[in-house]
Amino acid sequence: MSGANRNIERLRRDYSGEELAESNVSPDPFKQFLTWFDEAVNAEISDPHAMVLATASADGRPSARVVLLRGIDGDGLTFYTNYGSRKSLELEANPRAALVFPWHELDRQVRVEGNVSRREDRASDEYFASRPRASQISAWASNQSGFLRSRSELEERFRKFEREFAGRDVPRPENWGGFRLSPESFEFWQGRPSRMHDRILYALLPGGEWKIERLAP
Ligand SMILES: Cc1cc2nc3c(=O)[nH]c(=O)nc-3n(C[C@H](O)[C@H](O)[C@H](O)COP(=O)(O)O)c2cc1C
């Protein structure tokens, strides 16, 4: 590869975050997550709620993609998708998944791992009803992760569902809804000078308490 921008080996900068220590994190990883999430929102970084979701097929082939965090509570982190998509089929076969929030502008990363399960229909209905109408129609039009002959096939399906639902509310398609990842671990990574980064790991113990440990960078 050539060109100044492609000199990947030389792309390098030092990270300058403040110390993340066992003594200054919250004992509750959900609270710690929300503190960092608020800081990401306040820093006006692009899509602070965008997270990489890694899944794997039953025979262990991994795949990853970005989805949007749409809720967090004591039970876990929620995202919405098509239940027939590749990620959903993998999650049905193997509910173990990992999330990564890559907050580069803050020299931070959060990793979350756990089991994923479908959200109850009522939660999916409520969220679907809050989406813009065009996004609702698009959920009907897109057979997510299926093959299309052309862009116009998708656009024709969009127009078809626009006609079908003209003058009434768009119901939630049965094959569209939420998943919730119930965390068994959280890792908070803070970039520091000289690659001497801080990594704080929370691991869920059988009794429900969180054990906090430091990992080598
Ligand atoms: C910023 C961003 C946000 C996205 N949000 C979602 C989302 O919330 N839900 C979703 O199903 N796909 C979302 N996508 C698209 C997915 O990355 C992916 O293309 C799609 O879900 C199909 O993935 P799959 O074939 O592995 O199931 C988003 C992509 C980007 C870049």
Side-chain angles (χ1 to χ4, degrees):
M1 289 206 293
S2 62
N5 294 333
R6 299 230 195 101
N7 209 334
I8 295 172
E9 285 181 10
R10 296 224 190 130
L11 286 177
R12 170 183 311 281
R13 70 186 175 89
D14 217 13
Y15 300 115
S16 60
E18 284 170 21
E19 185 185 16
L20 180 70
E22 298 86 325
S23 56
N24 67 15
V25 292
S26 170
D28 176 350
F30 287 92
K31 286 199 181 132
Q32 183 62 35
F33 180 85
L34 290 175
T35 300
W36 272 26
F37 188 77
D38 290 346
E39 288 173 8
V41 171
N42 292 337
E44 296 184 0
I45 71 174
S46 174
D47 289 343
H49 58 325
M51 54 191 189
V52 178
L53 164 70
T55 56
S57 61
D59 63 352
R61 286 166 199 255
S63 67
R65 78 291 288 151
V66 174
V67 294
L68 297 177
L69 176 69
R70 286 301 184 200
I72 176 163
D73 59 25
D75 292 325
L77 292 85
T78 291
F79 58 90
Y80 290 92
T81 192
N82 183 302
Y83 287 141
S85 65
R86 176 175 176 187
K87 74 182 85 54
S88 299
L89 299 182
E90 290 185 0
L91 288 169
E92 301 293 347
N94 169 13
R96 309 278 320 158
L99 299 171
V100 179
F101 292 84
W103 291 327
H104 302 292
E105 293 90 335
L106 298 173
D107 296 339
R108 286 177 175 175
Q109 164 179 266
V110 180
R111 299 166 58 170
V112 191
E113 294 173 18
N115 277 306
V116 172
S117 53
R118 279 194 192 200
R119 289 296 311 257
E120 25 336 323
D121 284 347
R122 201 167 49 83
S124 295
D125 288 340
E126 274 174 22
Y127 176 67
F128 189 81
S130 76
R131 301 179 82 212
R133 188 174 176 89
S135 307
Q136 295 175 332
I137 303 269
S138 154
W140 281 91
S142 172
N143 174 26
Q144 193 179 55
S145 314
F147 289 101
L148 285 166
R149 279 188 302 280
S150 63
R151 167 96 197 171
S152 55
E153 183 185 349
L154 178 67
E155 289 172 356
E156 180 45 47
R157 282 178 61 81
F158 188 92
R159 287 192 291 274
K160 176 185 143 191
F161 286 107
E162 261 182 333
R163 288 192 298 273
E164 188 166 328
F165 297 121
R168 60 186 177 107
D169 287 346
V170 182
R172 176 176 65 88
E174 251 178 39
N175 67 345
W176 190 99
F179 283 106
R180 182 195 270 132
L181 182 141
S182 305
E184 289 170 9
S185 69
F186 281 86
E187 185 203 312
F188 295 83
W189 184 98
Q190 175 69 69
R192 303 286 310 279
S194 312
R195 301 289 190 262
M196 296 285 281
H197 313 304
D198 288 325
R199 298 177 64 189
I200 298 293
L201 175 71
Y202 293 76
L204 185 62
L205 298 174
E209 319 87 77
W210 292 93
K211 181 175 176 195
I212 300 181
E213 285 176 297
R214 177 178 286 271
L215 298 174

